[in-house]
Amino acid sequence: MKTILKIIGLALLYLIIVYVEILIAFLIFGSSGNATEKSSTLTFQFIVYFLPLVIVILLGKRILKK
């Protein structure tokens, strides 16, 4: 049961990180078409989706070892 709760917690952590990064991006670029154009670039998607996933996976490996 503890392992399931840890996995759910890691999934929630990932969602929160991605949500906050998207909010910050829209605050920086504004809510116009410019933000949509910037968010469709590969670099933006790499930073917002892939890097938090790597961070959560590394944290998960450390947490689930215990």
Side-chain angles (χ1 to χ4, degrees):
M1 185 67 176
K2 281 185 174 182
T3 305
I4 293 172
L5 290 175
K6 288 179 183 179
I7 292 172
I8 291 172
L10 289 170
L12 287 174
L13 176 66
Y14 174 73
L15 291 175
I16 290 169
I17 291 172
V18 169
Y19 180 72
V20 168
E21 285 185 347
I22 290 172
L23 279 178
I24 291 171
F26 274 94
L27 287 174
I28 292 172
F29 297 123
S31 60
S32 64
N34 190 20
T36 306
E37 183 181 320
K38 294 289 185 187
S39 66
S40 65
T41 63
L42 186 60
T43 305
F44 180 85
Q45 291 180 2
F46 177 76
I47 292 169
V48 171
Y49 299 113
F50 184 69
L51 287 181
L53 183 62
V54 170
I55 291 168
V56 169
I57 287 173
L58 293 175
L59 279 173
K61 284 176 65 176
R62 180 171 285 192
I63 290 171
L64 292 175
K65 277 185 182 178
K66 295 181 181 180

